Amino acid sequence: MVSDASRRRWRGGPVTVSTAAGRTAGRVGVAAVAGLVGWHVVPAGTWLPGVRAALLPALDGRGHPGRVALTFDDGPDPGTTPLFLRALDRLSVRATFFVLGERLERAPALGRRIADEGHELAVHGWRHDPPWVPRPVRDVREVARAAELVARTAGRWPLWYRPPYGVLTGGRWAAARAAGLRPVLWSAWGRDWTADATARSVRAEVARKLRGGATVLLHDSDAMCAPGSWRAALGALPGLVAECRARGLEVGPLAGHGVGGASVAEVRGARRRTEEARRRADEARRPTGGV
């Protein structure tokens, strides 16, 4: 027969075990959250130019010392992108356009025009979302969706991914890897998104970090910038290209810039994904149903 004292001890036992288990579970939960936050946030430190330049030159966009890669973000924009295409054509320059999937979906003809005129299309994401909340599953889905749309538009799988705001979180890095894209940011920018930007200020800002092998960031749309700020970037183009040429630097797209060097496996993977995208596009166009 169990005594009252033993019964009281027995009754109290599970409470003690539950409390200890709760504390352990709490510590595990805190560690898991801390791990997730670290995985999400730590890679975002590459946004800092000094960190990027010192530790990750390929992510900084540094390529062949005799070239400068010219890149544009946030398009395609039917109201402004054609003006940039016209200016680039007059300058005999080709560039890389990092496009947003939702904007390319609304302006597919403009996307095809960019590619047809010899420019390179790359992935800027599906939307221009802020990076603060971890969304790894959505990141994978939307980067892949944007890459497939770019492939259907340009006829080949894109090589590059630049995240919105230039913040490369753990989820965005994983999404780029899953889609077979190489993340690349920039080594010089024009601060052309601000309300007080002018052609002169953009040129001066780019010139501060302009070196052989640099990747320059500008915007061909003000969709995510101060209204009308695109005029500063457009006005800066002739002088910027002239400055590069005066220094003996060729201006062109990221393709051929030698950023990090593409491995044989990466090239083969890009070709395979291009063929897969073409096959899916052909299947989508194929009539369905009976006679």
Side-chain angles (χ1 to χ4, degrees), residues 241-266:
V241 171
E243 172 71 17
C244 290
R245 288 172 173 166
R247 298 190 191 187
L249 300 173
E250 177 188 354
V251 183
L254 275 166
H257 191 48
V259 177
S263 68
V264 172
E266 287 174 318

Side-chain angles (χ1 to χ4, degrees), residues 7-24:
R7 191 176 289 112
R8 284 195 296 273
R9 285 196 297 274
W10 178 79
R11 285 172 181 163
V15 174
T16 303
V17 171
S18 297
T19 301
R23 290 195 189 102
T24 301

